[in-house]
DNA sequence: CTACTAATAT
DNA sequence: TATATTAGTA
Protein backbone atom coordinates (compact mmCIF):
# COMPACT_ATOMS: atom_id res chain seq x y z
CA UNK A 1 0.00 0.00 0.00
CA UNK A 2 2.07 2.77 -1.10
CA UNK A 3 -0.08 4.50 -3.50
CA UNK A 4 -1.41 7.56 -2.02
CA UNK A 5 -2.46 10.75 -3.47
CA UNK A 6 0.22 13.31 -3.50
CA UNK A 7 0.14 14.88 -0.18
CA UNK A 8 2.30 17.60 -1.47
CA UNK A 9 0.10 19.76 -3.47
CA UNK A 10 -2.97 20.02 -1.51
CA UNK A 11 -2.63 23.52 -0.53
CA UNK A 12 -3.83 25.25 -3.48
CA UNK A 13 -5.64 28.36 -2.83
CA UNK A 14 -6.38 31.38 -4.79
CA UNK A 15 -3.44 33.03 -3.21
CA UNK A 16 -0.30 33.21 -5.21
CA UNK A 17 2.49 32.61 -2.85
CA UNK A 18 2.27 30.47 0.15
CA UNK A 19 5.49 31.15 1.89
CA UNK A 20 6.59 27.65 2.09
CA UNK A 21 10.05 28.67 2.97
CA UNK A 22 9.38 29.78 6.44
CA UNK A 23 7.22 26.90 7.23
CA UNK A 24 8.15 24.79 10.11
CA UNK A 25 9.51 21.86 8.30
CA UNK A 26 11.18 20.64 11.40
CA UNK A 27 7.90 19.15 12.29
CA UNK A 28 8.35 16.65 9.64
CA UNK A 29 11.82 15.64 10.60
CA UNK A 30 11.87 12.11 11.70
CA UNK A 31 8.28 11.63 10.95
CA UNK A 32 7.09 9.20 8.40
CA UNK A 33 6.04 10.82 5.28
CA UNK A 34 2.44 10.98 4.43
CA UNK A 35 3.00 8.26 1.95
CA UNK A 36 4.07 5.92 4.65
CA UNK A 37 1.11 6.49 6.76
CA UNK A 38 -2.24 4.99 6.59
CA UNK A 39 -4.80 7.61 7.00
CA UNK A 40 -6.19 7.59 10.44
CA UNK A 41 -9.54 8.05 8.98
CA UNK A 42 -9.27 4.84 7.22
CA UNK A 43 -9.69 1.38 8.56
CA UNK A 44 -6.59 -0.68 8.72
CA UNK A 45 -8.31 -3.64 7.29
CA UNK A 46 -11.29 -4.09 5.20
CA UNK A 47 -14.56 -4.96 6.83
CA UNK A 48 -14.57 -8.27 5.05
CA UNK A 49 -11.21 -9.15 6.37
CA UNK A 50 -12.17 -8.04 9.79
CA UNK A 51 -15.19 -10.18 9.67
CA UNK A 52 -13.25 -13.15 8.42
CA UNK A 53 -10.99 -12.88 11.40
CA UNK A 54 -13.71 -12.15 13.81
CA UNK A 55 -12.32 -8.80 14.50
CA UNK A 56 -14.77 -6.37 15.83
CA UNK A 57 -15.47 -3.76 13.28
CA UNK A 58 -13.73 -0.57 13.94
CA UNK A 59 -15.96 2.08 15.27
CA UNK A 60 -15.73 4.01 12.11
CA UNK A 61 -13.23 6.69 12.61
CA UNK A 62 -14.46 10.12 12.30
CA UNK A 63 -12.72 13.37 11.99
CA UNK A 64 -12.99 13.65 15.69
CA UNK A 65 -11.03 10.51 16.16
CA UNK A 66 -8.46 11.71 13.79
CA UNK A 67 -8.30 14.90 15.64
CA UNK A 68 -7.82 13.20 18.94
CA UNK A 69 -5.13 11.04 17.54
CA UNK A 70 -3.34 14.06 16.29
CA UNK A 71 -3.73 15.70 19.62
CA UNK A 72 -2.17 12.83 21.43
CA UNK A 73 0.61 12.78 18.93
CA UNK A 74 1.31 16.38 19.53
CA UNK A 75 1.10 15.90 23.24
CA UNK A 76 3.58 13.12 23.03
CA UNK A 77 5.90 15.24 21.05
CA UNK A 78 5.59 17.93 23.62
CA UNK A 79 6.58 15.58 26.34
CA UNK A 80 9.43 14.02 24.54
CA UNK A 81 11.17 16.51 22.43
CA UNK A 82 13.69 14.27 20.80
CA UNK A 83 15.74 17.04 19.45
CA UNK A 84 16.36 20.65 19.88
CA UNK A 85 14.84 21.11 16.53
CA UNK A 86 11.69 19.47 17.63
CA UNK A 87 11.80 21.49 20.75
CA UNK A 88 12.17 24.62 18.77
CA UNK A 89 9.34 23.63 16.58
CA UNK A 90 7.23 22.90 19.54
CA UNK A 91 8.14 26.14 21.05
CA UNK A 92 7.03 27.79 17.94
CA UNK A 93 3.79 26.03 18.14
CA UNK A 94 3.03 27.01 21.63
CA UNK A 95 5.30 29.62 23.05
CA UNK A 96 2.96 30.11 25.88
CA UNK A 97 -0.19 28.68 27.35
CA UNK A 98 -2.17 31.07 25.36
CA UNK A 99 -3.24 30.53 21.84
CA UNK A 100 -0.78 31.61 19.34
CA UNK A 101 -0.47 28.89 16.93
CA UNK A 102 -2.52 26.69 14.86
CA UNK A 103 -2.24 23.04 14.42
CA UNK A 104 -2.50 23.19 10.74
CA UNK A 105 -2.45 26.57 9.29
CA UNK A 106 -4.99 29.27 9.54
CA UNK A 107 -3.61 32.44 10.75
CA UNK A 108 -4.85 32.94 14.19
CA UNK A 109 -4.95 36.48 15.04
CA UNK A 110 -5.10 38.05 18.39
CA UNK A 111 -5.85 41.52 19.24
CA UNK A 112 -3.09 43.32 20.96
CA UNK A 113 -4.44 43.76 24.38
CA UNK A 114 -3.64 43.56 27.99
CA UNK A 115 -1.10 46.11 28.91
CA UNK A 116 -1.78 48.99 26.76
CA UNK A 117 -3.02 48.36 23.39
CA UNK A 118 -6.24 50.11 23.74
CA UNK A 119 -8.03 50.27 20.53
CA UNK A 120 -6.85 50.29 17.04
CA UNK A 121 -3.69 48.35 17.13
CA UNK A 122 -4.08 44.82 16.23
CA UNK A 123 -1.14 42.64 16.84
CA UNK A 124 -1.71 40.03 14.33
CA UNK A 125 -0.09 36.73 14.63
CA UNK A 126 0.11 34.83 11.49
CA UNK A 127 0.66 31.34 12.58
CA UNK A 128 0.81 29.89 9.19
CA UNK A 129 4.48 29.54 9.21
CA UNK A 130 6.09 32.76 8.37
CA UNK A 131 6.23 34.57 11.57
CA UNK A 132 5.38 37.85 10.10
CA UNK A 133 4.31 39.72 13.12
CA UNK A 134 4.53 37.76 16.22
CA UNK A 135 2.98 38.63 19.47
CA UNK A 136 4.54 41.68 20.91
CA UNK A 137 6.06 39.61 23.61
CA UNK A 138 5.64 36.60 25.72
CA UNK A 139 2.75 37.02 28.02
CA UNK A 140 4.77 35.18 30.52
CA UNK A 141 7.72 37.43 30.68
CA UNK A 142 5.77 40.03 32.49
CA UNK A 143 5.40 38.59 35.91
CA UNK A 144 5.21 35.18 37.27
CA UNK A 145 1.53 35.50 37.48
CA UNK A 146 0.18 32.17 36.63
CA UNK A 147 -3.13 33.53 35.66
CA UNK A 148 -2.47 34.81 32.25
CA UNK A 149 -5.23 36.28 30.34
CA UNK A 150 -5.67 35.04 26.91
CA UNK A 151 -5.54 37.62 24.25
CA UNK A 152 -8.74 38.34 22.52
CA UNK A 153 -9.22 36.12 19.60
CA UNK A 154 -9.78 37.78 16.33
CA UNK A 155 -11.89 35.85 13.98
CA UNK A 156 -10.13 36.30 10.74
CA UNK A 157 -11.75 35.49 7.49
CA UNK A 158 -9.94 32.24 7.39
CA UNK A 159 -10.81 31.24 10.86
CA UNK A 160 -14.34 32.14 10.20
CA UNK A 161 -14.36 30.19 7.02
CA UNK A 162 -13.15 27.19 8.84
CA UNK A 163 -15.79 27.74 11.37
CA UNK A 164 -18.43 28.00 8.75
CA UNK A 165 -17.23 24.95 6.97
CA UNK A 166 -17.28 22.91 10.08
CA UNK A 167 -20.66 24.12 11.10
CA UNK A 168 -21.90 23.36 7.66
CA UNK A 169 -20.39 19.97 7.79
CA UNK A 170 -22.00 19.09 11.02
CA UNK A 171 -25.66 19.60 11.00
CA UNK A 172 -27.30 22.33 12.89
CA UNK A 173 -27.92 20.05 15.72
CA UNK A 174 -24.41 18.75 15.86
CA UNK A 175 -22.86 22.09 15.59
CA UNK A 176 -22.07 22.66 19.19
CA UNK A 177 -19.06 24.47 20.52
CA UNK A 178 -17.01 21.54 21.53
CA UNK A 179 -17.45 19.64 18.35
CA UNK A 180 -16.87 22.64 16.25
CA UNK A 181 -13.76 23.47 18.13
CA UNK A 182 -12.44 19.99 17.71
CA UNK A 183 -13.10 19.78 14.07
CA UNK A 184 -11.65 23.12 13.41
CA UNK A 185 -8.52 21.83 14.96
CA UNK A 186 -7.05 25.17 15.61
CA UNK A 187 -4.57 25.09 18.35
CA UNK A 188 -5.34 27.48 21.08
CA UNK A 189 -8.88 27.88 20.05
CA UNK A 190 -11.05 27.31 23.03
CA UNK A 191 -14.51 26.07 23.36
CA UNK A 192 -15.48 29.41 24.75
CA UNK A 193 -14.10 31.10 21.72
CA UNK A 194 -16.23 28.97 19.54
CA UNK A 195 -19.25 29.23 21.75
CA UNK A 196 -19.13 32.93 21.62
CA UNK A 197 -18.70 33.00 17.93
CA UNK A 198 -21.39 30.46 17.46
CA UNK A 199 -23.76 32.52 19.46
CA UNK A 200 -23.15 35.45 17.27
CA UNK A 201 -23.35 33.35 14.20
CA UNK A 202 -26.69 31.99 15.20
CA UNK A 203 -28.05 35.39 15.83
CA UNK A 204 -26.71 36.45 12.51
CA UNK A 205 -28.47 33.62 10.80
CA UNK A 206 -31.64 34.24 12.63
CA UNK A 207 -31.66 37.79 11.53
CA UNK A 208 -31.15 36.67 8.03
CA UNK A 209 -33.89 34.16 7.95
CA UNK A 210 -36.26 36.83 9.00
CA UNK A 211 -35.27 38.67 5.93
CA UNK A 212 -35.19 36.24 3.09
CA UNK A 213 -33.94 39.07 1.04
CA UNK A 214 -30.45 37.76 1.13
CA UNK A 215 -27.53 39.81 2.07
CA UNK A 216 -27.33 41.67 -1.16
CA UNK A 217 -24.42 43.86 -0.39
CA UNK A 218 -21.08 42.49 0.37
CA UNK A 219 -19.08 40.69 -2.14
CA UNK A 220 -20.35 37.34 -1.43
CA UNK A 221 -18.77 34.34 -2.75
CA UNK A 222 -19.98 30.83 -3.08
CA UNK A 223 -22.31 31.22 -5.99
CA UNK A 224 -24.95 29.06 -4.52
CA UNK A 225 -24.24 25.67 -3.29
CA UNK A 226 -22.33 23.85 -5.94
CA UNK A 227 -24.84 21.12 -6.74
CA UNK A 228 -22.65 18.15 -7.02
CA UNK A 229 -19.74 19.33 -8.99
CA UNK A 230 -16.58 19.58 -7.11
CA UNK A 231 -14.24 22.06 -8.56
CA UNK A 232 -11.38 20.38 -6.87
CA UNK A 233 -9.23 17.86 -8.62
CA UNK A 234 -10.14 15.41 -6.01
CA UNK A 235 -13.82 15.95 -5.81
CA UNK A 236 -15.09 14.43 -2.67
CA UNK A 237 -16.48 11.29 -4.12
CA UNK A 238 -19.92 10.16 -3.45
CA UNK A 239 -20.60 7.99 -0.45
CA UNK A 240 -19.95 4.61 -2.00
CA UNK A 241 -16.40 5.34 -2.97
CA UNK A 242 -14.18 5.09 0.06
CA UNK A 243 -11.42 7.35 -1.04
CA UNK A 244 -8.29 7.17 1.00
CA UNK A 245 -8.28 10.58 2.30
CA UNK A 246 -5.35 11.71 4.15
CA UNK A 247 -5.20 15.24 3.32
CA UNK A 248 -7.69 16.33 0.91
CA UNK A 249 -7.34 19.48 -0.84
CA UNK A 250 -8.97 22.41 0.58
CA UNK A 251 -11.88 24.24 -0.73
CA UNK A 252 -12.06 25.86 -3.99
CA UNK A 253 -10.40 29.13 -3.72
CA UNK A 254 -13.52 30.99 -4.34
CA UNK A 255 -11.61 33.94 -3.44
CA UNK A 256 -11.17 35.53 -6.71
CA UNK A 257 -9.95 38.85 -5.62
CA UNK A 258 -10.49 41.54 -3.17
CA UNK A 259 -8.35 40.16 -0.47
CA UNK A 260 -4.95 38.80 -0.49
CA UNK A 261 -5.08 36.14 2.04
CA UNK A 262 -2.02 36.40 4.17
CA UNK A 263 -0.52 33.05 4.43
CA UNK A 264 -2.47 30.04 3.68
CA UNK A 265 -0.65 26.88 4.22
CA UNK A 266 -2.75 23.88 4.33
CA UNK A 267 -0.94 21.25 6.14
CA UNK A 268 -2.50 18.89 8.48
CA UNK A 269 -0.17 17.98 11.21
CA UNK A 270 -1.80 14.65 11.61
CA UNK A 271 -4.95 15.19 9.82
CA UNK A 272 -7.96 16.73 11.27
CA UNK A 273 -9.92 19.08 9.30
CA UNK A 274 -10.30 17.89 5.81
CA UNK A 275 -11.75 20.06 3.26
CA UNK A 276 -15.38 19.79 3.71
CA UNK A 277 -18.07 19.66 1.29
CA UNK A 278 -21.28 21.21 2.24
CA UNK A 279 -22.84 17.97 3.06
CA UNK A 280 -25.41 19.13 5.42
CA UNK A 281 -26.82 15.92 6.70
CA UNK A 282 -29.45 17.79 8.43
CA UNK A 283 -30.22 20.24 5.77
CA UNK A 284 -29.18 22.96 8.02
CA UNK A 285 -26.35 25.15 7.19
CA UNK A 286 -25.56 26.20 3.79
CA UNK A 287 -22.82 28.06 2.21
CA UNK A 288 -22.50 31.20 4.09
CA UNK A 289 -21.91 34.57 2.77
CA UNK A 290 -19.80 37.07 4.41
CA UNK A 291 -22.70 39.35 4.88
CA UNK A 292 -21.57 41.08 7.93
CA UNK A 293 -18.69 38.97 8.69
CA UNK A 294 -15.92 41.00 7.44
CA UNK A 295 -12.92 40.16 9.41
CA UNK A 296 -10.00 42.30 10.07
CA UNK A 297 -7.12 40.62 8.53
CA UNK A 298 -3.98 42.41 7.80
CA UNK A 299 -0.59 42.57 9.17
C1' DC B 1 -19.71 17.04 36.40
C1' DT B 2 -19.62 18.54 31.58
C1' DA B 3 -21.18 21.13 28.14
C1' DC B 4 -24.77 24.23 25.89
C1' DT B 5 -26.82 28.53 25.63
C1' DA B 6 -28.60 33.03 26.73
C1' DA B 7 -27.45 36.98 29.02
C1' DT B 8 -24.36 40.08 30.35
C1' DA B 9 -19.86 42.31 30.73
C1' DT B 10 -15.70 44.37 28.83
C1' DT C 1 -19.02 45.99 17.57
C1' DA C 2 -16.58 41.87 18.71
C1' DT C 3 -15.30 38.78 21.89
C1' DA C 4 -15.22 37.17 26.83
C1' DT C 5 -17.34 35.81 30.89
C1' DT C 6 -20.97 34.42 33.67
C1' DA C 7 -25.30 32.11 35.09
C1' DG C 8 -28.64 28.94 34.61
C1' DT C 9 -29.76 24.66 32.93
C1' DA C 10 -30.03 20.09 30.42
Amino acid sequence: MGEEADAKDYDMVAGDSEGDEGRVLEWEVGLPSADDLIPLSQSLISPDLAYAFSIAPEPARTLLDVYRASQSTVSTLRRHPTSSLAAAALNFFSPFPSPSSVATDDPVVFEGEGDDAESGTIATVAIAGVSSCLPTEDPGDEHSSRALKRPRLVWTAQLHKRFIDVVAHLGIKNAVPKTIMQLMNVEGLTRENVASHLQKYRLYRKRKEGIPNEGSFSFDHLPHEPPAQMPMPYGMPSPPVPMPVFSIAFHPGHNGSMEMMPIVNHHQAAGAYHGFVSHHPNGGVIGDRQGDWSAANKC
Side-chain angles (χ1 to χ4, degrees):
Chain A
M1 352 152 164
E3 61 288 342
E4 219 86 271
D6 268 86
K8 304 279 199 94
D9 38 47
Y10 55 108
D11 48 11
M12 38 223 301
V13 179
D16 36 356
S17 66
E18 43 170 304
D20 222 68
E21 294 89 32
R23 197 157 56 82
V24 191
L25 294 166
E26 291 87 332
W27 269 106
E28 292 156 17
V29 172
L31 292 176
S33 70
D35 290 344
D36 300 331
L37 294 172
I38 292 175
L40 286 170
S41 56
Q42 192 180 338
S43 297
L44 294 175
I45 59 178
S46 71
D48 300 5
L49 201 53
Y51 180 76
F53 285 83
S54 305
I55 296 174
E58 304 205 23
R61 298 219 152 83
T62 67
L63 287 177
L64 278 169
D65 298 313
V66 173
Y67 163 78
R68 289 179 182 126
S70 77
Q71 286 297 293
S72 75
T73 298
V74 170
S75 297
T76 302
L77 282 172
R78 285 214 171 99
R79 273 191 291 280
H80 313 288
T82 54
S83 70
S84 54
L85 262 184
L90 285 166
N91 185 51
F92 172 84
F93 260 64
S94 65
F96 33 78
S98 73
S100 74
S101 55
V102 187
T104 65
D105 45 87
D106 358 80
V108 167
V109 178
F110 293 106
E111 174 188 339
E113 183 246 330
D115 288 311
D116 50 49
E118 280 304 299
S119 56
T121 2
I122 292 181
T124 55
V125 185
I127 307 308
V130 181
S131 51
S132 334
C133 12
L134 280 171
T136 52
E137 72 223 20
D138 277 270
D141 74 353
E142 194 55 51
H143 293 296
S144 50
S145 47
R146 284 303 167 211
L148 286 171
K149 204 163 51 176
R150 263 180 197 274
R152 252 174 106 97
L153 173 70
V154 175
W155 283 88
T156 62
Q158 300 200 10
L159 256 193
H160 177 67
K161 176 153 196 308
R162 199 140 188 160
F163 170 85
I164 292 302
D165 285 341
V166 170
V167 170
H169 184 253
L170 306 166
I172 287 280
K173 58 170 197 222
N174 292 328
V176 291
K178 191 182 181 185
T179 310
I180 296 172
M181 176 198 69
Q182 291 174 151
L183 283 188
M184 283 181 73
N185 192 38
V186 173
E187 190 159 315
L189 187 68
T190 68
R191 193 171 57 82
E192 284 74 25
N193 288 141
V194 176
S196 181
H197 197 64
L198 180 62
Q199 182 178 22
K200 201 182 66 165
Y201 178 66
R202 282 169 171 165
L203 289 175
Y204 163 78
R205 296 201 104 243
K206 193 178 294 181
R207 296 222 98 84
K208 280 253 145 140
E209 80 178 42
I211 313 163
N213 197 308
E214 194 103 35
S216 63
F217 53 53
S218 219
F219 9 86
D220 16 40
H221 32 196
L222 311 188
H224 278 296
E225 190 81 24
Q229 193 80 332
M230 263 291 114
M232 259 356 227
Y234 323 111
M236 190 81 101
S238 1
V241 187
M243 169 136 178
V245 222
F246 169 54
S247 46
I248 325 182
F250 230 56
H251 320 271
H254 278 334
N255 190 349
S257 51
M258 195 59 214
E259 252 274 346
M260 185 187 76
M261 295 261 174
I263 307 121
V264 186
N265 288 329
H266 296 302
H267 295 282
Q268 325 275 341
Y273 166 88
H274 299 193
F276 286 131
V277 187
S278 295
H279 258 80
H280 25 274
N282 224 299
V285 192
I286 14 177
D288 176 290
R289 12 205 64 82
Q290 285 284 101
D292 215 332
W293 298 77
S294 49
N297 199 356
K298 46 253 180 114
C299 238

